[in-house]
Amino acid sequence: MKKGIISNNVRRLRFDSGEMTQQQLAKAVGVSRQTIVAIEKCKYSPSLELAFLIAHTFGMPIGDVFSYQLGE
Amino acid sequence: MSSQEKRVAVSLFSSIIVFWYFITYATGLHTGGALTGPDANYLVGKIAFIMIGIGIVATIIIHIIFTIIYTVAKGEQDEAESEDERDKLIELKAMHIAFVVFSFAFMGLLGFMAFGGMGPYMVILHTIGSLYAASILADCIKLFLYRRGF
């Protein structure tokens, strides 16, 4: 099974949302600031629920926040 | 370093200290011939309970000392964050790997005993040692996963 790569625009969307801090986003979705840091650095792939929560916080569809590419 | 990583590092440090104490104590008993004497079963049981007690006390003391040092050095208190999904996932992965390693170690020890290479009391002591080694391994894996990601 091919391994895919999940990337995201969380950092850019944070800045576009009134320069929201990582701590503010973390508090809004109920995780630690370190988890948001790991998500932005693509070191951690969030659960489906967390991904939806983040997208909902930005008021955007989940496909505009996270993207998936199949590896070769 | 996040608060969770610090907590894992302190846990790792206390596990290493307790493990070192256990090895020193058990080796002393073994070289003194106490494990082949008439009180061997009593001593092995006593070691197990002592190590549990020492482990708990040492962990608490080291956590307190670390908290004091951190507060004095940084001038602020380390805010403990609640566990979220990433912390739980890292804990799960680390425990899974440590369990597999411990299982292999335990099976190896039973094999030694089955082929007459080791007596039952030594197997028990080595099993306790393997538990501590697995705990240390789990903490190392957690630190690795926190740093590298997955």
mmCIF file of all heavy atoms in Angstrom, chain B residues 58-98:
data_model
loop_
_atom_site.group_PDB
_atom_site.id
_atom_site.type_symbol
_atom_site.label_atom_id
_atom_site.label_comp_id
_atom_site.label_asym_id
_atom_site.label_seq_id
_atom_site.Cartn_x
_atom_site.Cartn_y
_atom_site.Cartn_z
ATOM 1 N N ALA B 58 11.058 7.396 44.673
ATOM 2 C CA ALA B 58 12.091 8.070 43.870
ATOM 3 C C ALA B 58 11.457 8.937 42.793
ATOM 4 O O ALA B 58 11.886 10.069 42.554
ATOM 5 C CB ALA B 58 13.022 7.031 43.236
ATOM 6 N N THR B 59 10.418 8.430 42.141
ATOM 7 C CA THR B 59 9.752 9.195 41.080
ATOM 8 C C THR B 59 9.146 10.478 41.653
ATOM 9 O O THR B 59 9.288 11.549 41.059
ATOM 10 C CB THR B 59 8.655 8.341 40.417
ATOM 11 O OG1 THR B 59 9.243 7.148 39.916
ATOM 12 C CG2 THR B 59 8.006 9.095 39.276
ATOM 13 N N ILE B 60 8.495 10.376 42.791
ATOM 14 C CA ILE B 60 7.874 11.568 43.402
ATOM 15 C C ILE B 60 8.942 12.594 43.774
ATOM 16 O O ILE B 60 8.811 13.783 43.476
ATOM 17 C CB ILE B 60 7.037 11.175 44.645
ATOM 18 C CG1 ILE B 60 5.803 10.379 44.218
ATOM 19 C CG2 ILE B 60 6.615 12.407 45.433
ATOM 20 C CD1 ILE B 60 5.039 9.744 45.355
ATOM 21 N N ILE B 61 10.010 12.118 44.421
ATOM 22 C CA ILE B 61 11.065 13.035 44.877
ATOM 23 C C ILE B 61 11.736 13.717 43.696
ATOM 24 O O ILE B 61 11.960 14.927 43.694
ATOM 25 C CB ILE B 61 12.111 12.270 45.728
ATOM 26 C CG1 ILE B 61 11.494 11.880 47.073
ATOM 27 C CG2 ILE B 61 13.362 13.121 45.957
ATOM 28 C CD1 ILE B 61 12.363 10.988 47.924
ATOM 29 N N ILE B 62 12.051 12.939 42.655
ATOM 30 C CA ILE B 62 12.727 13.522 41.487
ATOM 31 C C ILE B 62 11.815 14.516 40.788
ATOM 32 O O ILE B 62 12.264 15.575 40.335
ATOM 33 C CB ILE B 62 13.192 12.404 40.522
ATOM 34 C CG1 ILE B 62 14.356 11.645 41.155
ATOM 35 C CG2 ILE B 62 13.613 12.970 39.171
ATOM 36 C CD1 ILE B 62 14.760 10.391 40.443
ATOM 37 N N HIS B 63 10.517 14.222 40.713
ATOM 38 C CA HIS B 63 9.576 15.170 40.107
ATOM 39 C C HIS B 63 9.534 16.471 40.897
ATOM 40 O O HIS B 63 9.505 17.561 40.327
ATOM 41 C CB HIS B 63 8.172 14.552 40.022
ATOM 42 C CG HIS B 63 7.928 13.785 38.770
ATOM 43 N ND1 HIS B 63 7.405 14.351 37.631
ATOM 44 C CD2 HIS B 63 8.159 12.502 38.455
ATOM 45 C CE1 HIS B 63 7.318 13.436 36.682
ATOM 46 N NE2 HIS B 63 7.767 12.303 37.152
ATOM 47 N N ILE B 64 9.517 16.363 42.225
ATOM 48 C CA ILE B 64 9.469 17.566 43.079
ATOM 49 C C ILE B 64 10.749 18.381 42.890
ATOM 50 O O ILE B 64 10.699 19.601 42.732
ATOM 51 C CB ILE B 64 9.282 17.177 44.565
ATOM 52 C CG1 ILE B 64 7.867 16.624 44.786
ATOM 53 C CG2 ILE B 64 9.532 18.368 45.480
ATOM 54 C CD1 ILE B 64 7.639 16.002 46.144
ATOM 55 N N ILE B 65 11.904 17.703 42.912
ATOM 56 C CA ILE B 65 13.186 18.393 42.757
ATOM 57 C C ILE B 65 13.248 19.089 41.405
ATOM 58 O O ILE B 65 13.657 20.247 41.293
ATOM 59 C CB ILE B 65 14.371 17.402 42.912
ATOM 60 C CG1 ILE B 65 14.470 16.918 44.358
ATOM 61 C CG2 ILE B 65 15.688 18.048 42.481
ATOM 62 C CD1 ILE B 65 15.455 15.793 44.579
ATOM 63 N N PHE B 66 12.819 18.373 40.369
ATOM 64 C CA PHE B 66 12.847 18.965 39.032
ATOM 65 C C PHE B 66 11.940 20.192 38.958
ATOM 66 O O PHE B 66 12.307 21.212 38.372
ATOM 67 C CB PHE B 66 12.416 17.930 37.992
ATOM 68 C CG PHE B 66 12.214 18.527 36.620
ATOM 69 C CD1 PHE B 66 13.302 18.793 35.817
ATOM 70 C CD2 PHE B 66 10.952 18.839 36.162
ATOM 71 C CE1 PHE B 66 13.134 19.359 34.565
ATOM 72 C CE2 PHE B 66 10.774 19.403 34.912
ATOM 73 C CZ PHE B 66 11.856 19.670 34.118
ATOM 74 N N THR B 67 10.759 20.109 39.550
ATOM 75 C CA THR B 67 9.816 21.235 39.520
ATOM 76 C C THR B 67 10.416 22.455 40.225
ATOM 77 O O THR B 67 10.304 23.579 39.735
ATOM 78 C CB THR B 67 8.486 20.851 40.197
ATOM 79 O OG1 THR B 67 7.966 19.701 39.565
ATOM 80 C CG2 THR B 67 7.464 21.976 40.093
ATOM 81 N N ILE B 68 11.074 22.208 41.357
ATOM 82 C CA ILE B 68 11.693 23.313 42.111
ATOM 83 C C ILE B 68 12.815 23.939 41.289
ATOM 84 O O ILE B 68 12.904 25.163 41.154
ATOM 85 C CB ILE B 68 12.232 22.802 43.478
ATOM 86 C CG1 ILE B 68 11.065 22.419 44.392
ATOM 87 C CG2 ILE B 68 13.105 23.864 44.144
ATOM 88 C CD1 ILE B 68 11.482 21.688 45.647
ATOM 89 N N ILE B 69 13.679 23.085 40.720
ATOM 90 C CA ILE B 69 14.802 23.595 39.919
ATOM 91 C C ILE B 69 14.294 24.396 38.733
ATOM 92 O O ILE B 69 14.797 25.472 38.410
ATOM 93 C CB ILE B 69 15.709 22.425 39.448
ATOM 94 C CG1 ILE B 69 16.438 21.813 40.634
ATOM 95 C CG2 ILE B 69 16.717 22.896 38.402
ATOM 96 C CD1 ILE B 69 17.205 20.543 40.314
ATOM 97 N N TYR B 70 13.268 23.869 38.068
ATOM 98 C CA TYR B 70 12.715 24.552 36.891
ATOM 99 C C TYR B 70 12.112 25.903 37.264
ATOM 100 O O TYR B 70 12.319 26.901 36.582
ATOM 101 C CB TYR B 70 11.642 23.667 36.227
ATOM 102 C CG TYR B 70 11.087 24.275 34.970
ATOM 103 C CD1 TYR B 70 11.713 24.075 33.741
ATOM 104 C CD2 TYR B 70 9.921 25.052 34.980
ATOM 105 C CE1 TYR B 70 11.208 24.634 32.582
ATOM 106 C CE2 TYR B 70 9.415 25.620 33.835
ATOM 107 C CZ TYR B 70 10.053 25.411 32.641
ATOM 108 O OH TYR B 70 9.561 25.970 31.488
ATOM 109 N N THR B 71 11.372 25.913 38.356
ATOM 110 C CA THR B 71 10.729 27.167 38.800
ATOM 111 C C THR B 71 11.779 28.211 39.171
ATOM 112 O O THR B 71 11.647 29.388 38.825
ATOM 113 C CB THR B 71 9.804 26.903 40.008
ATOM 114 O OG1 THR B 71 8.900 25.861 39.674
ATOM 115 C CG2 THR B 71 9.018 28.145 40.378
ATOM 116 N N VAL B 72 12.836 27.775 39.845
ATOM 117 C CA VAL B 72 13.892 28.718 40.255
ATOM 118 C C VAL B 72 14.671 29.206 39.030
ATOM 119 O O VAL B 72 14.960 30.390 38.892
ATOM 120 C CB VAL B 72 14.852 28.031 41.269
ATOM 121 C CG1 VAL B 72 16.106 28.848 41.479
ATOM 122 C CG2 VAL B 72 14.143 27.804 42.592
ATOM 123 N N ALA B 73 14.988 28.290 38.117
ATOM 124 C CA ALA B 73 15.808 28.646 36.948
ATOM 125 C C ALA B 73 15.037 29.543 35.980
ATOM 126 O O ALA B 73 15.582 30.515 35.449
ATOM 127 C CB ALA B 73 16.277 27.373 36.246
ATOM 128 N N LYS B 74 13.772 29.214 35.734
ATOM 129 C CA LYS B 74 12.996 29.964 34.737
ATOM 130 C C LYS B 74 12.259 31.147 35.355
ATOM 131 O O LYS B 74 11.826 32.045 34.644
ATOM 132 C CB LYS B 74 11.977 29.020 34.078
ATOM 133 C CG LYS B 74 12.598 28.027 33.123
ATOM 134 C CD LYS B 74 12.774 28.641 31.747
ATOM 135 C CE LYS B 74 13.329 27.624 30.780
ATOM 136 N NZ LYS B 74 13.450 28.134 29.429
ATOM 137 N N GLY B 75 12.058 31.079 36.651
ATOM 138 C CA GLY B 75 11.325 32.150 37.312
ATOM 139 C C GLY B 75 9.829 32.050 37.071
ATOM 140 O O GLY B 75 9.071 32.976 37.331
ATOM 141 N N GLU B 76 9.386 30.931 36.528
ATOM 142 C CA GLU B 76 7.958 30.730 36.276
ATOM 143 C C GLU B 76 7.644 29.258 36.466
ATOM 144 O O GLU B 76 8.515 28.417 36.337
ATOM 145 C CB GLU B 76 7.588 31.159 34.851
ATOM 146 C CG GLU B 76 8.320 30.367 33.779
ATOM 147 C CD GLU B 76 8.045 30.845 32.375
ATOM 148 O OE1 GLU B 76 7.684 32.022 32.217
ATOM 149 O OE2 GLU B 76 8.182 30.042 31.452
ATOM 150 N N GLN B 77 6.367 28.996 36.729
ATOM 151 C CA GLN B 77 5.971 27.610 36.958
ATOM 152 C C GLN B 77 5.653 26.937 35.626
ATOM 153 O O GLN B 77 5.093 27.563 34.730
ATOM 154 C CB GLN B 77 4.730 27.584 37.835
ATOM 155 C CG GLN B 77 4.639 26.353 38.706
ATOM 156 C CD GLN B 77 3.643 26.516 39.842
ATOM 157 O OE1 GLN B 77 2.897 27.476 39.899
ATOM 158 N NE2 GLN B 77 3.626 25.582 40.744
ATOM 159 N N ASP B 78 6.067 25.684 35.520
ATOM 160 C CA ASP B 78 5.792 24.940 34.294
ATOM 161 C C ASP B 78 4.311 24.567 34.264
ATOM 162 O O ASP B 78 3.833 23.828 35.113
ATOM 163 C CB ASP B 78 6.667 23.669 34.254
ATOM 164 C CG ASP B 78 6.463 22.883 32.982
ATOM 165 O OD1 ASP B 78 6.120 23.499 31.961
ATOM 166 O OD2 ASP B 78 6.647 21.659 33.008
ATOM 167 N N GLU B 79 3.592 25.078 33.276
ATOM 168 C CA GLU B 79 2.152 24.807 33.228
ATOM 169 C C GLU B 79 1.911 23.401 32.683
ATOM 170 O O GLU B 79 2.282 23.101 31.557
ATOM 171 C CB GLU B 79 1.472 25.837 32.323
ATOM 172 C CG GLU B 79 1.252 27.157 33.038
ATOM 173 C CD GLU B 79 0.408 28.102 32.199
ATOM 174 O OE1 GLU B 79 -0.430 27.635 31.425
ATOM 175 O OE2 GLU B 79 0.627 29.313 32.316
ATOM 176 N N ALA B 80 1.301 22.585 33.502
ATOM 177 C CA ALA B 80 1.023 21.209 33.079
ATOM 178 C C ALA B 80 -0.179 21.217 32.150
ATOM 179 O O ALA B 80 -1.235 21.741 32.497
ATOM 180 C CB ALA B 80 0.752 20.343 34.291
ATOM 181 N N GLU B 81 0.016 20.675 30.959
ATOM 182 C CA GLU B 81 -1.089 20.636 30.011
ATOM 183 C C GLU B 81 -1.734 19.260 30.065
ATOM 184 O O GLU B 81 -1.069 18.261 30.285
ATOM 185 C CB GLU B 81 -0.569 20.917 28.601
ATOM 186 C CG GLU B 81 -0.111 22.350 28.426
ATOM 187 C CD GLU B 81 0.570 22.570 27.083
ATOM 188 O OE1 GLU B 81 1.242 21.662 26.606
ATOM 189 O OE2 GLU B 81 0.421 23.672 26.530
ATOM 190 N N SER B 82 -3.042 19.230 29.831
ATOM 191 C CA SER B 82 -3.717 17.942 29.872
ATOM 192 C C SER B 82 -3.341 17.137 28.631
ATOM 193 O O SER B 82 -2.948 17.685 27.610
ATOM 194 C CB SER B 82 -5.227 18.148 29.960
ATOM 195 O OG SER B 82 -5.660 18.919 28.875
ATOM 196 N N GLU B 83 -3.516 15.831 28.739
ATOM 197 C CA GLU B 83 -3.152 14.922 27.648
ATOM 198 C C GLU B 83 -4.137 15.068 26.509
ATOM 199 O O GLU B 83 -5.348 15.037 26.726
ATOM 200 C CB GLU B 83 -3.230 13.483 28.187
ATOM 201 C CG GLU B 83 -1.974 12.697 27.963
ATOM 202 C CD GLU B 83 -2.085 11.282 28.486
ATOM 203 O OE1 GLU B 83 -3.200 10.795 28.709
ATOM 204 O OE2 GLU B 83 -1.033 10.680 28.695
ATOM 205 N N ASP B 84 -3.593 15.216 25.281
ATOM 206 C CA ASP B 84 -4.500 15.260 24.133
ATOM 207 C C ASP B 84 -4.260 14.017 23.271
ATOM 208 O O ASP B 84 -3.516 13.110 23.666
ATOM 209 C CB ASP B 84 -4.327 16.564 23.352
ATOM 210 C CG ASP B 84 -2.937 16.712 22.761
ATOM 211 O OD1 ASP B 84 -2.139 15.759 22.852
ATOM 212 O OD2 ASP B 84 -2.630 17.785 22.219
ATOM 213 N N GLU B 85 -4.854 13.986 22.077
ATOM 214 C CA GLU B 85 -4.826 12.772 21.272
ATOM 215 C C GLU B 85 -3.399 12.393 20.856
ATOM 216 O O GLU B 85 -3.059 11.207 20.793
ATOM 217 C CB GLU B 85 -5.717 12.938 20.035
ATOM 218 C CG GLU B 85 -5.282 14.056 19.089
ATOM 219 C CD GLU B 85 -6.094 14.073 17.799
ATOM 220 O OE1 GLU B 85 -7.336 14.023 17.882
ATOM 221 O OE2 GLU B 85 -5.465 14.130 16.735
ATOM 222 N N ARG B 86 -2.560 13.393 20.599
ATOM 223 C CA ARG B 86 -1.187 13.104 20.175
ATOM 224 C C ARG B 86 -0.404 12.468 21.331
ATOM 225 O O ARG B 86 0.348 11.497 21.126
ATOM 226 C CB ARG B 86 -0.517 14.405 19.737
ATOM 227 C CG ARG B 86 0.922 14.247 19.285
ATOM 228 C CD ARG B 86 1.401 15.549 18.642
ATOM 229 N NE ARG B 86 2.839 15.658 18.719
ATOM 230 C CZ ARG B 86 3.493 16.406 19.600
ATOM 231 N NH1 ARG B 86 2.830 17.105 20.488
ATOM 232 N NH2 ARG B 86 4.806 16.457 19.597
ATOM 233 N N ASP B 87 -0.590 12.968 22.538
ATOM 234 C CA ASP B 87 0.081 12.392 23.706
ATOM 235 C C ASP B 87 -0.357 10.942 23.910
ATOM 236 O O ASP B 87 0.464 10.057 24.188
ATOM 237 C CB ASP B 87 -0.241 13.201 24.968
ATOM 238 C CG ASP B 87 0.225 14.648 24.864
ATOM 239 O OD1 ASP B 87 1.313 14.873 24.279
ATOM 240 O OD2 ASP B 87 -0.496 15.537 25.338
ATOM 241 N N LYS B 88 -1.650 10.704 23.766
ATOM 242 C CA LYS B 88 -2.172 9.341 23.978
ATOM 243 C C LYS B 88 -1.657 8.394 22.906
ATOM 244 O O LYS B 88 -1.327 7.233 23.189
ATOM 245 C CB LYS B 88 -3.713 9.356 23.968
ATOM 246 C CG LYS B 88 -4.319 9.968 25.208
ATOM 247 C CD LYS B 88 -5.830 10.098 25.094
ATOM 248 C CE LYS B 88 -6.372 10.883 26.281
ATOM 249 N NZ LYS B 88 -7.739 11.341 26.087
ATOM 250 N N LEU B 89 -1.540 8.897 21.680
ATOM 251 C CA LEU B 89 -1.054 8.058 20.581
ATOM 252 C C LEU B 89 0.419 7.708 20.781
ATOM 253 O O LEU B 89 0.842 6.559 20.576
ATOM 254 C CB LEU B 89 -1.246 8.806 19.260
ATOM 255 C CG LEU B 89 -1.371 7.989 17.998
ATOM 256 C CD1 LEU B 89 -2.460 6.952 18.121
ATOM 257 C CD2 LEU B 89 -1.684 8.908 16.818
ATOM 258 N N ILE B 90 1.209 8.688 21.205
ATOM 259 C CA ILE B 90 2.635 8.444 21.469
ATOM 260 C C ILE B 90 2.791 7.448 22.610
ATOM 261 O O ILE B 90 3.627 6.532 22.551
ATOM 262 C CB ILE B 90 3.361 9.776 21.777
ATOM 263 C CG1 ILE B 90 3.515 10.589 20.488
ATOM 264 C CG2 ILE B 90 4.709 9.542 22.426
ATOM 265 C CD1 ILE B 90 4.084 11.977 20.689
ATOM 266 N N GLU B 91 1.985 7.619 23.649
ATOM 267 C CA GLU B 91 2.035 6.697 24.787
ATOM 268 C C GLU B 91 1.703 5.272 24.318
ATOM 269 O O GLU B 91 2.388 4.310 24.693
ATOM 270 C CB GLU B 91 1.001 7.161 25.823
ATOM 271 C CG GLU B 91 0.707 6.190 26.952
ATOM 272 C CD GLU B 91 1.412 6.548 28.237
ATOM 273 O OE1 GLU B 91 1.703 7.748 28.425
ATOM 274 O OE2 GLU B 91 1.699 5.657 29.032
ATOM 275 N N LEU B 92 0.693 5.163 23.471
ATOM 276 C CA LEU B 92 0.262 3.851 22.975
ATOM 277 C C LEU B 92 1.357 3.177 22.158
ATOM 278 O O LEU B 92 1.673 1.994 22.353
ATOM 279 C CB LEU B 92 -0.981 4.043 22.114
ATOM 280 C CG LEU B 92 -1.797 2.796 21.756
ATOM 281 C CD1 LEU B 92 -2.390 2.183 23.001
ATOM 282 C CD2 LEU B 92 -2.903 3.171 20.788
ATOM 283 N N LYS B 93 1.965 3.932 21.238
ATOM 284 C CA LYS B 93 3.030 3.380 20.388
ATOM 285 C C LYS B 93 4.223 2.929 21.226
ATOM 286 O O LYS B 93 4.777 1.851 21.020
ATOM 287 C CB LYS B 93 3.488 4.431 19.364
ATOM 288 C CG LYS B 93 2.566 4.597 18.183
ATOM 289 C CD LYS B 93 3.084 5.661 17.231
ATOM 290 C CE LYS B 93 2.158 5.879 16.052
ATOM 291 N NZ LYS B 93 2.345 4.904 14.973
ATOM 292 N N ALA B 94 4.610 3.776 22.201
ATOM 293 C CA ALA B 94 5.769 3.456 23.042
ATOM 294 C C ALA B 94 5.492 2.210 23.884
ATOM 295 O O ALA B 94 6.353 1.320 23.997
ATOM 296 C CB ALA B 94 6.106 4.644 23.947
ATOM 297 N N MET B 95 4.302 2.130 24.464
ATOM 298 C CA MET B 95 3.968 0.978 25.300
ATOM 299 C C MET B 95 3.894 -0.295 24.466
ATOM 300 O O MET B 95 4.279 -1.373 24.914
ATOM 301 C CB MET B 95 2.631 1.208 26.034
ATOM 302 C CG MET B 95 2.658 2.320 27.062
ATOM 303 S SD MET B 95 4.033 2.221 28.214
ATOM 304 C CE MET B 95 3.588 0.774 29.152
ATOM 305 N N HIS B 96 3.423 -0.179 23.240
ATOM 306 C CA HIS B 96 3.327 -1.338 22.347
ATOM 307 C C HIS B 96 4.705 -1.923 22.060
ATOM 308 O O HIS B 96 4.931 -3.131 22.186
ATOM 309 C CB HIS B 96 2.624 -0.925 21.054
ATOM 310 C CG HIS B 96 2.509 -2.038 20.075
ATOM 311 N ND1 HIS B 96 3.133 -2.016 18.849
ATOM 312 C CD2 HIS B 96 1.855 -3.218 20.140
ATOM 313 C CE1 HIS B 96 2.869 -3.141 18.211
ATOM 314 N NE2 HIS B 96 2.094 -3.875 18.961
ATOM 315 N N ILE B 97 5.639 -1.029 21.711
ATOM 316 C CA ILE B 97 6.994 -1.489 21.404
ATOM 317 C C ILE B 97 7.664 -2.069 22.651
ATOM 318 O O ILE B 97 8.296 -3.128 22.605
ATOM 319 C CB ILE B 97 7.846 -0.336 20.825
ATOM 320 C CG1 ILE B 97 7.273 0.097 19.468
ATOM 321 C CG2 ILE B 97 9.305 -0.733 20.675
ATOM 322 C CD1 ILE B 97 7.869 1.364 18.911
ATOM 323 N N ALA B 98 7.504 -1.375 23.785
ATOM 324 C CA ALA B 98 8.115 -1.841 25.029
ATOM 325 C C ALA B 98 7.531 -3.203 25.435
ATOM 326 O O ALA B 98 8.266 -4.073 25.911
ATOM 327 C CB ALA B 98 7.884 -0.817 26.145
#
